[in-house]
Amino acid sequence: MDQTPRTGGATTPPPLGEHLRSPQLRAAMLVQQEALHAARDYLRGEGFVELLPPLVGPVTDPGGRGAKALDVDYYGHSYKLMTSAILYKQASLRGFPRLFYIAPNVRVEPEETATTGRHLVEFHQIDVEIAEASREEAQEIAAGLLTHVTEQVFTAIPGVLAELGRDEAGFADVRSGKYDVCTHHEAVTRLLASGHPQNPDGEIDWAGERLLSLESDRPFFINDYPKGSRGFYDREDPENPGVLRNFDLIAPHGYGEIVSGSERESDYATIVTRMRESGENPAKYAWYLKEAREGIPASAGFGMGLQRLVRFLTGLDAVWQVSAYPKLPGVMAP
């Protein structure tokens, strides 16, 4: 059975009332409910503590690929809605060395991403951080999380997945937990050889990511993105200058990236230098830099996109179909 998304998300949501009454949405919400239950069960079993993430702050993740943060008036001060809770995850490690959030995020994505099937303005991440961990340890948790969630969903609600046309046999490689690994350089080489014009110094673009995803029947990691392609908090490899100790986890069959993570930079002076190199003003990050100066633990962590995960499990065309109140980039919605 073909496991790929059908339309790539070219359609837009119907009126909200019609969408909320859709049997398709109900099925997706049942899958989401089981996925969240399984995620919490797995992470708590691995010794993680769940915290509630902040919704606003004086600064947030600087973002990338053209996404922007929304400003809010906070008692006369300009605060940001969280595009990512990564800075708070790092700071929280001083009291909680293994922590996770189910974190809401708001990112004003470029309007052209409305048709990728993979982008929403409002979305949630299963955010995980581990003190004194390596990239490989974070990847092990990410793979274990995806494996456990998939197993739990197929065990708990097989009828719902069957109604959506999801074939259990098609997820055998996901449930095995044996995921492949390649480097960013290797991924770029494959794309260029296939005729795709991928920038070797940047993120894998949406089309290239989908091409790589379509080539695989099992999830796989892409490691070692080049410095400058990701945030200042991704740690540079001390043995391989110019390369970051980070990763993405790519779902197979065209669904693309569902996890992004890295080892984190924790040295105060290096963080400031990396901010300046990336064009960020360190003064904006005063509270975070204060924590770093006092000693943020070295760590590794990741964010797993909840809506992308549910879309992959359900086989639906676009992430708006697995969101009860979808907000597509550039599309006004209640």
Side-chain angles (χ1 to χ4, degrees):
M1 180 180 292
D2 184 8
Q3 297 286 324
T4 61
R6 293 178 290 279
T7 69
T11 58
T12 56
L16 183 59
E18 180 182 336
H19 177 60
L20 290 170
R21 292 191 298 271
S22 164
Q24 191 177 64
L25 178 65
R26 176 171 175 76
M29 293 300 93
L30 292 173
V31 171
Q32 177 179 279
Q33 177 175 257
E34 288 300 329
L36 284 170
H37 175 75
R40 286 185 163 106
D41 180 65
Y42 173 78
L43 291 169
R44 289 181 64 180
E46 292 292 325
F48 289 86
V49 174
E50 180 175 5
L51 303 182
L52 296 178
L55 301 180
V56 300
V59 70
T60 184
D61 180 344
R65 302 199 193 203
K68 299 178 181 178
L70 281 175
D71 294 323
V72 296
D73 184 334
Y74 189 73
Y75 299 102
H77 295 270
S78 180
Y79 269 44
K80 304 287 185 183
L81 291 180
M82 289 295 105
T83 63
S84 166
I86 183 170
L87 305 181
Y88 288 90
K89 285 198 301 181
Q90 284 187 276
S92 299
L93 290 170
R94 297 171 73 180
F96 302 90
R98 293 171 76 87
L99 68 96
F100 75 97
Y101 302 140
I102 307 299
N105 293 262
V106 178
R107 294 181 189 173
V108 184
E109 297 281 359
E111 293 187 23
E112 60 267 23
T113 62
T115 58
T116 64
R118 302 174 57 243
H119 291 86
L120 292 169
V121 174
E122 295 181 349
F123 63 98
H124 293 75
Q125 289 196 143
I126 305 170
D127 253 317
V128 175
E129 201 71 18
I130 316 162
E132 308 301 339
S134 66
R135 174 177 64 190
E136 288 70 26
E137 290 171 295
Q139 288 177 313
E140 183 178 354
I141 292 294
L145 177 59
L146 179 58
T147 301
H148 183 85
V149 167
T150 304
E151 185 69 33
Q152 175 64 25
V153 170
F154 272 99
T155 299
I157 49 171
V160 173
L161 293 169
E163 289 176 6
L164 291 167
R166 298 307 264 167
D167 180 7
E168 187 170 351
F171 284 83
D173 283 329
V174 181
R175 296 164 77 178
S176 75
K178 298 176 181 177
Y179 301 165
D180 297 326
V181 179
C182 73
T183 66
H184 177 274
H185 176 74
E186 290 167 343
V188 169
T189 299
R190 284 160 54 189
L191 288 171
L192 292 176
S194 71
H196 180 75
Q198 171 62 47
N199 174 8
D201 298 318
E203 293 261 19
I204 305 294
D205 61 37
W206 313 125
E209 193 177 280
R210 187 170 189 271
L211 289 171
L212 294 170
S213 177
L214 283 168
E215 291 177 355
S216 182
D217 288 326
R218 68 171 65 184
F220 62 95
F221 290 103
I222 300 178
N223 290 350
D224 300 339
Y225 282 74
K227 184 181 179 182
S229 67
R230 292 284 172 92
F232 60 78
Y233 38 75
D234 282 14
R235 181 171 176 259
E236 187 174 5
D237 189 336
E239 298 180 1
N240 194 5
V243 173
L244 301 174
R245 290 279 297 169
N246 60 4
F247 65 91
D248 281 350
L249 177 58
I250 311 296
H253 307 137
Y255 289 90
E257 179 246 308
I258 56 174
V259 173
S260 187
S262 73
E263 291 179 12
R264 313 301 190 190
E265 186 53 68
S266 59
D267 176 71
Y268 169 79
T270 305
I271 292 172
V272 172
T273 298
R274 290 284 304 281
M275 284 179 175
R276 289 174 174 153
E277 288 175 346
S278 64
E280 289 294 316
N281 179 4
K284 293 195 312 181
Y285 297 88
W287 78 264
Y288 171 73
L289 290 174
K290 178 178 180 294
E291 297 295 322
R293 189 184 296 111
E294 293 175 358
I296 290 177
S299 67
F302 61 85
M304 176 180 283
L306 177 62
Q307 283 78 15
R308 291 184 181 184
L309 170 64
V310 176
R311 179 196 175 210
F312 171 56
L313 293 170
T314 59
L316 295 175
D317 300 331
V319 286
W320 70 258
Q321 294 172 300
V322 301
S323 174
Y325 313 104
K327 289 185 174 61
L328 277 170
V331 179
M332 298 301 100

